[in-house]
Each structure stands twice: as C-alpha cells, then as structure tokens.
Amino acid sequence: MVYVDEYPKTSKLVRSEFIVAFGALAIGALFGVIQALHRTGVFRGFVSSADYYTLLTAHGVLLALVFTTFFIAGLFSWAVSNSLERELPHRIAWAAFWVMLVGTVMAAVAIIGGLVGAPSVLGHSLKADVLFTFYAPMKAHPAFYLGAALIIVGSWVAGGAYFKSLWEWRSENPDERIPLRTFMVVTTMLMWYISTIGVAVEVVVFLIPWSLGLIQNVDPLLTRTLFWYFGHPVVYFWLMPAYLVWYTVLPKLAGGRLFSDPLARVVFVLFLLLSTPVGFHHQYVDPGIPEGFKFIAMTNTMFLLLPSLLTAFTVVASMEHGARQRGATGYLSWLRNLPWGNPAFAGCALAGLMFAAGGFSGMINAGMNINYLIHNTLWVPGHFHLTVGTAFALTAMAISYWLVPQITGKKLQRRSLAVAQPYVWFIGMTLMSNAMHRAGLAGIPRRTAEPTYDEFAFEGVAGTVGEMRIQIAIGGFLLFVGAALFLIVMAETFLARRGGTLSVNGTLPDPLSGAEHSPRILDNYKLWTAIALVLIVIAYGPPLASMIADGITAPGSPPIPV
C-alpha cells in the first residue's frame, strides 16, 4: 500500500511542510543568484549595494532556517509514522506547522519591509538587515525576533508529536528496540532541544526587549556566545536528517541493505553528546573568552570527526553491498554498477561526496591557529555551502524524488529534468565553493557587497581574483538553475493527477547487522542526555559565569544602526 493511502493524515501534513520548504527554497535561491552576480560585479542592476544586505539576510534565513526546518519536520513526520506504523498525533503536529508558518511570515515581512521601504510599525522601522547570525549590536525590527522565536517554538512542538508517538508505541511494545528511523529522529530532537536553549534565551531575554526599547543596551559578547551555543549545533540539526536518509534509504536505492544498524545508533549518540559544546570555535577572535575554553571547543570539534568517519565507512560499505548485489566486481569498479541514472540515488551520493570535502575545510575552521588565516573570509561561506548547501540541500532534493510520489500517490513528472538536476547542482557547487575557498585564502572578505578597497589589491593564491569572481558567478547561476529544475519537477508532480502504478517502492530492507546486535544502553536517552549536559556545563559554565558577573547587560552596546 502507498504511504499516502496508509497514513492519509500524516501525508497531508508532510505535503504541507514540503510545500512551505520548497517555497522558501525558491525565494532563497533567487536571492542567492542575485547576490552572486552583484558581489562579483557581473551584473549589478537588480539591487543596490545597500539592499544587498537585505537579500543576504533573506537568503540565509529562508534557506538555513525556513527551508531546513520545514523540510526536516516533513521528513521526520514521515520517518516516525512509517517506522512506528501509526499516524502522528494530529493536533500537536498541525499546531507545530501553524506556529512555524506564522513565525516565518513575521520574519519574512520584517526582512522584506526594509527592501520595499515599508513604513514604521510599532514605532520601529520595518527592516531586519542583521544577516543569518542575528546577535547584537545589529538590531532588527521586533517582528523579526518574534518570528524567529516562533519558528524555534514550532519545531519544539513538532518534536512533541514525535515523542508522543514513541511513548505510545513503547507502551504497546515494551520489549522491542526502537526502530532505527525513529531512534534517529528522537536523538536529533534531543540535541535540538538542548542546543536551542541558547538562542531562545538570547532572543526572548535580550533581543526582543532590546528591539522594543524596553532595555537600552545589551552585552554583544554574551549575545554572540548564546547565539553560537546554538549556531554550530544547528549545523547538525541540518546534517542528521541527511544522515537518516543516507543510512536508511540510500542503501536501498543502491540495491542493497544498511551495513550496520548498531553503528548508525552509535553515530547519533555521539552527535547528541558532542554537537553543542563546540560553539566557541566560532569565537576564536572574540576577547573575553579564556583561551583554555576555546581549546576545549576545538578538541570537541575534532572529536566530531569520529561520527562522520563512521558514517563514511558505513554508508560506503552499504552502497558497495548494493553494487555487488547487482553483480559488480573489483576494488573500485563496483562504483560503475551503482544506479547513477536514478536522481534520488545520484543526489544523495553526490551530496555525501561533497560533504566529505566540506569536512576537510571544516577542520581548518576548527583549528585555533590556522582559523585566523581564513576568519571572516569567503572560505567560510565556501565551507558551509558544502555542508548545508549541498550535504543537506541536495539530499533533501534527491530524497524528494523518492518520497514525494509516496506522500502524493502521483508519479514523478519530468524525470529527465530530475535525472539532470543533481549533476547541475553538483557542478555549480564545485565551481562556486572551489573559488570561494581560494578567495578566502587570498583574504577576500565575506558578507560585503563591495569586496574591494582603495589602494589595495588582493592577489590570488591560485588563479586570479577576476577568474575567481567569474567562477563564483557561473557556479551561483548553475545552482539557481539546479534549484529551478527541482522546483519544476516538484510543482508538476504535486499538480499531476493520480493514476497508474507508482514506480516507487517505499519498503526499506532490514540491515545486514540489525538492532539486536547493539547494546540496549544505546536506547537509554536519560543517560546520554545527562552526559551531554555535563559536557556543556564544563565547556560553557565558567565563561558564561564570568560574562554575567558584572551584570547581564554590561558592558552594554547601543544598537547598530544608531
């Protein structure tokens, strides 16, 4: 039976969450290509340099917060309902959707208000040119902060639906192991609850009262620290759903089975433990944070290589098993036997390959000494376009080719476009990210519409600055084309009529090594959550205590713009 017929209520929810996610992707991708053309000087006729920062804010918020959160909510709703074989709690799940949607609209209105010159609302200019990293002293309209808070709160409510489903399932199956997909969802949400405490305190306690004029000053170092307490774990909130797909669906698409269920569980427990106490590696140049605690953050970040390396081994082994099931032989020639013409498989596999490259550049970001070389340069967006921009985004698009027919009951339309799309995205990201990394090594700054200075010329480490700019523009344009191809396929599939036999088989095979081979202690969420909290207290307790010792708003800073 097709998923939409077996779980009609949850299917409707997943469709709604995906539609919002794809809408955010469309607008964010459009703003992204405008930025790429403007910054590189290829074409500056769309916006002024002042409005560039509004587009930059919208691009980051729509893609890094809205697209990701709504898609993850839809993916998790499918994963929990399908693996536990029950509909999600209807009212809780829909309440989460509407809270997130209201928050999205509020934040979007605040951002776009600055672009169109909207009048003041509540006595404040309706604008939010604060970029994705919304901490003091840059100030946005209160509607932006309220909207961001509602998106976070809505994700918390969505997690409540997953936990309630698991509680009901465990009451009926007390001796059974938690199904792997639900285990991954619940572990991810536990990490998310812990990590979003920082941004919740920043927004509710400081930024909303500050933007309303209830308090005059806030401590920029404290708000930066609270943001980055959340700002790096959010990367794993994006990546762990991609891992869910790579572990549970990608082996099937390759024609085989997951190599090891126990290793997958260990990886997600490690992410729960290590994702949060690493945020200080974003603040290596910030004064007021003792070097020793920056070193702790660096060490914890390096430990995060372990679950990624375990994932590389397990996922590649699973794909190799699938290829050999299809008759492949040889040490590497089995790669040719993988279904590269299947857009769902190709997109997921290429996303994993690109993530490996992002992991190497991430090690440079994490190192205390070498980080100074690339801090606040184009290297940094080059890195996270490999992670959230490909590891998550390309995986999300690829798995949609497999999942959307199941939640709609309709055949995938425009399959030829779907087959080409992952390769267009991969080529575009390879070009853009490669040039961004080289430009970062040359010292070219990020986050600026005018990356030139009077009486100063950058010299490319490999290639010329002009060549890098052209490559970024071409890569950005190809990424926009890739997004457009995906959205055309999705739009026509959603609008198509049901009929005929679906070519998608939604059944997932059992792993080669199942849950029965893993220790039950891996399912002890109380233990792992307690250890995670202890690690956070060690990493953050003393620095935060010193920051608030002289008052939570001191030393204070007036807002920018003044």
Side-chain angles (χ1 to χ4, degrees), residues 164-214:
K164 189 173 188 297
S165 293
L166 176 59
W167 182 81
E168 292 173 349
W169 179 87
R170 295 207 77 164
S171 66
E172 299 170 5
N173 304 273
D175 298 324
E176 292 189 30
R177 300 299 299 273
I178 301 172
L180 181 59
R181 279 173 288 167
T182 297
F183 178 89
M184 291 175 164
V185 170
V186 172
T187 308
T188 302
M189 291 308 300
L190 284 172
M191 184 278 296
W192 183 241
Y193 285 135
I194 293 171
S195 65
T196 48
I197 293 172
V199 73
V201 172
E202 181 207 12
V203 171
V204 175
V205 176
F206 296 103
L207 299 186
I208 292 177
W210 181 56
S211 64
L212 288 170
L214 301 178

Side-chain angles (χ1 to χ4, degrees), residues 334-363:
W334 59 269
L335 291 166
R336 293 197 301 265
N337 287 68
L338 293 171
W340 295 105
N342 180 340
F345 171 83
C348 290
L350 292 174
L353 179 62
M354 194 68 84
F355 179 62
F360 287 116
S361 66
M363 287 191 288

Side-chain angles (χ1 to χ4, degrees), residues 378-382 385 431-441 472:
L378 267 182
W379 174 287
V380 179
H385 275 88
L431 292 173
M432 189 178 80
S433 180
N434 170 272
M436 282 182 166
H437 279 88
R438 289 188 290 122
L441 292 176
I472 290 172

